[in-house]
Amino acid sequence: MRLPPLKSPLTIAWLASLWMGLLCNWPLWQKLASLPELDNARGHLFIGVFCAFVVALQGGLLSLFAWRATIKPVLTVVLLAAAALAYFIGSYGIVMDPTMVINTLQTDARETRDLLNLRLAASLLVLAGLPLLVIWRLKLTQTLWPRRLGWNLIGFVGGIVVSALLILATFADFAATMRSYPTMRYMITPVNAFYSLAAVAARSGAKPKGPPQVIGADAKLASRPAGTKPPLLLLVVGETARAANFALDGYSRPTTPELAKLPVLNFSKATSCGTSTAASLPCMFSPLGREEFVKQKNDQETLMDVLQRAGLAVLWVDNQSGCKGICDRVPNSPTAKLPEGAPALPAGLCDGEECLDMSLLHGLDERLAALDPERAKRGVVLVLHQMGSHGPAYYKRSPPDRKPFMPECTTNALQQCPREQVVNGYDNSIAYTDHVLASAIGWLQGREKDFATRMYYVSDHGESLGENNLYLHGVPYAVAPEEQKHVPMVLWLGQDLAPVTDCLKAKLDQPASHDNLFHTVLGFMGVQTALYKPEQDLLASCTTKH
């Protein structure tokens, strides 16, 4: 039986808006319905009006595309986006703001694979597949373009006017809700995604083209006393490790047993620059600090550029989805690309597309030997960018023989697992990071004959594990929970800095943050530049006493 023709693309646009407003926004309606202040007749009325506002707003915007040649392709993109967003927002409690758009654009194939599951497929099939099946079977009639333009303008203006009137009618409730729950505006699907994408594009377009602004042009190395060894810093950038599950930070489970046996310095009140890799990583390698970094309009060089300009040997080894531009102008390598002469990676470390973090330490001797020898004589900075505890597939981040907490969740659909199994999988990844860091310190101890060694570990951001129905990370910083901002930060100092450890122990409970990284590394390596702020160097107040 053939479906009857539908004469107006505008009708399809509004019906699709009604479908998305009612069904694809189910996480938004669920969130509103759970608010205690809306659990009354007035609150229920507001939710209904808000729903009508979403339908009218999206219907008005879709009216601009209600042409015979464009409406079906446009609705295909919009419905698929809405269905996917409904799944991710509803399952993990994330919001689609500009930062999350950047994260999405920078996600590689490995990370994308970890997000795919049957529940996502079901959401796409039901929320997008069913209406698209109907839409693509409809036969649209030809209409003269002046008439079509007129109707589309009526649909657009009418939708915008109606949505504005609906908000005005409930403005007090709307303003109070948005003020108390500011992330809710990024739950309106799929307007949230397209708005955030436009914001990212506008921000990117406003930046001047060309290479990043040079920083630290005056960088040079301080003279080193005769007979002293060049510094060797292992800077380990963690991924998605939250301090709440780090035993060194007071967690009840023994997730860091190996580090606990070593003379490490753990800063218990460290906070991140952002709640995602895309936000935190560029910020923590910048001299600006979080508050100024979020305001900057121009791209700048990073700590890696300054270290290289000062004459040091630097190398970035990546076991993640890339360095977000930080290592573009310095030597860098993925873990799977071993230097000449290095033995092959042991079986089980890599599965062809993804490697466990112990691969970061494999071949380090050969990587060190391959660096420019003249630069290496002045000092070496090796950055190891971990896969760490990247979710939602936490179970993949630790090998089978290093899983002390069982049973663990073995699916990326975290909502299908009991929360204790989700936590088990996450804690196993932290315990494996503990093993990697302890092994890294062991490697450094074997280099103390030739170098003054030290390790600096800090995670890029934390993670939500179901608290308040939130999973993963990426909540806007101003309203993000503590679990996404409080991160582990650990130092290990070699023999040359052993005298300052007692002084530093008195400072371990003082606030620290990603703002300290740039200046602490400059101090570690003896780099002199006007950019250096000794008050941000974690060691400066102690080293000046010795």
Side-chain angles (χ1 to χ4, degrees):
M1 179 177 174
R2 296 178 62 185
L3 290 172
L6 190 64
K7 294 182 179 181
S8 174
L10 187 62
T11 303
I12 299 175
W14 276 85
L15 288 174
S17 177
L18 181 63
W19 177 275
M20 289 185 291
L22 293 176
L23 300 181
C24 295
N25 278 279
W26 69 264
L28 174 59
W29 312 137
Q30 184 182 68
K31 175 70 174 178
L32 286 169
S34 70
L35 300 180
E37 58 266 43
L38 297 181
D39 189 19
N40 50 57
R42 176 171 176 161
H44 297 160
L45 176 61
F46 167 68
I47 295 174
V49 172
F50 197 4
C51 182
F53 157 75
V54 171
V55 173
L57 175 64
Q58 297 188 148
L61 295 175
L62 285 174
S63 296
L64 296 175
F65 303 94
W67 297 85
R68 190 169 182 266
T70 59
I71 189 62
K72 291 183 180 182
V74 167
L75 287 181
T76 299
V77 173
V78 171
L79 282 165
L80 286 171
L85 288 168
Y87 168 76
F88 287 114
I89 295 173
S91 297
Y92 301 116
I94 65 171
V95 293
M96 187 53 67
D97 66 339
T99 300
M100 187 60 71
V101 166
I102 295 174
N103 291 335
T104 303
L105 294 175
Q106 293 182 351
T107 297
D108 65 6
R110 300 185 300 183
E111 294 172 333
T112 300
R113 186 184 65 246
D114 284 346
L115 295 170
L116 302 179
N117 56 56
L118 291 177
R119 288 200 172 194
L120 172 59
S123 181
L124 292 174
L125 179 62
V126 174
L127 294 179
L130 291 180
L132 287 174
L133 179 64
V134 175
I135 288 170
W136 279 98
R137 292 185 65 190
L138 292 173
K139 294 185 178 179
L140 305 181
T141 56
Q142 189 76 34
T143 304
L144 294 176
W145 75 263
R147 183 179 178 85
R148 172 55 48 217
L149 177 62
W151 278 112
N152 289 358
L153 288 176
I154 290 173
F156 170 70
V157 174
I160 300 302
V161 170
V162 169
S163 62
L165 291 175
L166 290 171
I167 288 299
L168 289 174
T170 56
F171 185 76
D173 296 292
F174 179 81
T177 302
M178 291 300 117
R179 185 166 54 248
S180 300
Y181 307 96
T183 60
M184 201 166 291
R185 71 193 69 178
Y186 294 113
M187 294 179 67
I188 302 174
T189 301
V191 170
N192 51 359
F194 294 109
Y195 166 79
S196 298
L197 186 61
V200 169
R203 191 183 307 164
S204 177
K207 291 183 177 181
K209 306 301 180 184
Q213 176 186 345
V214 173
I215 63 170
D218 61 337
K220 63 179 181 179
L221 295 177
S223 58
R224 202 168 63 240
T228 58
K229 294 173 286 188
L232 167 60
L233 170 63
L234 208 54
L235 177 55
V236 184
V237 179
E239 169 65 37
T240 321
R242 69 184 208 171
N245 290 56
F246 224 68
L248 290 181
D249 286 306
Y251 187 46
S252 59
R253 281 179 148 183
T255 53
T256 54
E258 295 187 51
L259 287 177
K261 298 175 183 177
L262 295 169
V264 297
L265 299 164
N266 179 68
F267 290 83
S268 61
K269 295 182 179 178
T271 54
S272 65
C273 196
T275 60
S276 67
T277 305
S280 283
L281 209 58
C283 179
M284 64 200 289
F285 280 80
S286 164
L288 298 176
R290 195 188 76 83
E291 291 187 6
E292 291 302 316
F293 182 83
V294 297
K295 300 176 185 176
Q296 74 163 342
K297 299 185 182 300
N298 302 329
D299 287 331
Q300 289 187 342
E301 291 182 341
T302 73
L303 172 63
M304 303 303 292
D305 298 284
V306 177
L307 296 173
Q308 181 166 259
R309 184 169 291 120
L312 296 166
V314 297
L315 175 65
W316 182 290
V317 186
D318 205 285
N319 196 35
Q320 251 282 349
S321 58
C323 64
K324 315 304 180 190
I326 296 167
C327 65
D328 288 355
R329 295 166 297 278
V330 303
N332 61 85
S333 173
T335 51
K337 185 179 179 181
L338 295 171
E340 186 176 350
L345 287 167
L349 267 188
C350 297
D351 64 3
E353 294 184 3
E354 183 176 316
C355 294
L356 292 165
D357 279 334
M358 278 301 291
S359 62
L360 288 164
L361 304 182
H362 189 80
L364 266 190
D365 286 327
E366 290 78 12
R367 294 190 192 279
L368 183 61
L371 295 173
D372 183 325
E374 291 302 314
R375 286 180 172 270
K377 289 178 183 178
R378 305 182 194 115
V380 178
V381 177
L382 299 176
V383 182
L384 307 183
H385 187 198
Q386 286 187 285
M387 177 59 77
S389 302
H390 195 286
Y394 305 124
Y395 68 98
K396 292 184 178 180
R397 311 301 173 228
S398 57
D401 60 340
R402 289 197 170 273
K403 293 183 182 292
F405 309 106
M406 296 297 284
E408 66 176 359
C409 181
T410 56
T411 174
N412 56 16
L414 300 180
Q415 64 277 18
Q416 293 182 355
C417 295
R419 185 172 181 270
E420 57 269 22
Q421 292 186 17
V422 174
V423 173
N424 283 347
Y426 183 84
D427 284 352
N428 286 334
S429 72
I430 297 294
Y432 187 56
T433 287
D434 169 71
H435 175 62
V436 172
L437 294 178
S439 300
I441 291 172
W443 180 82
L444 285 171
Q445 289 172 326
R447 306 296 164 296
E448 289 195 290
K449 178 182 177 182
D450 301 312
F451 293 96
T453 56
R454 58 233 33 198
M455 184 194 77
Y456 187 167
Y457 165 79
V458 64
S459 182
D460 59 350
H461 55 78
E463 185 86 329
S464 288
L465 296 175
E467 299 88 1
N468 299 314
N469 292 318
L470 280 178
Y471 289 91
L472 306 182
H473 51 267
V475 173
Y477 196 88
V479 294
E482 190 70 12
E483 292 85 0
Q484 295 191 24
K485 296 187 289 187
H486 185 195
V487 295
M489 181 183 287
V490 178
L491 298 183
W492 175 84
L493 307 179
Q495 296 174 359
D496 67 311
L497 289 174
V500 307
T501 54
D502 289 339
C503 173
L504 284 171
K505 286 178 181 178
K507 303 177 182 295
L508 296 182
D509 291 328
Q510 296 179 6
S513 73
H514 281 168
D515 292 0
N516 299 117
L517 185 141
F518 186 96
H519 308 282
T520 302
V521 171
L522 292 184
F524 266 148
M525 305 308 296
V527 176
Q528 297 177 334
T529 170
L531 294 173
Y532 174 68
K533 297 178 182 178
E535 67 274 15
Q536 293 283 15
D537 182 345
L538 293 172
L539 276 71
S541 61
C542 291
T543 53
T544 52
K545 299 177 183 178
H546 294 270

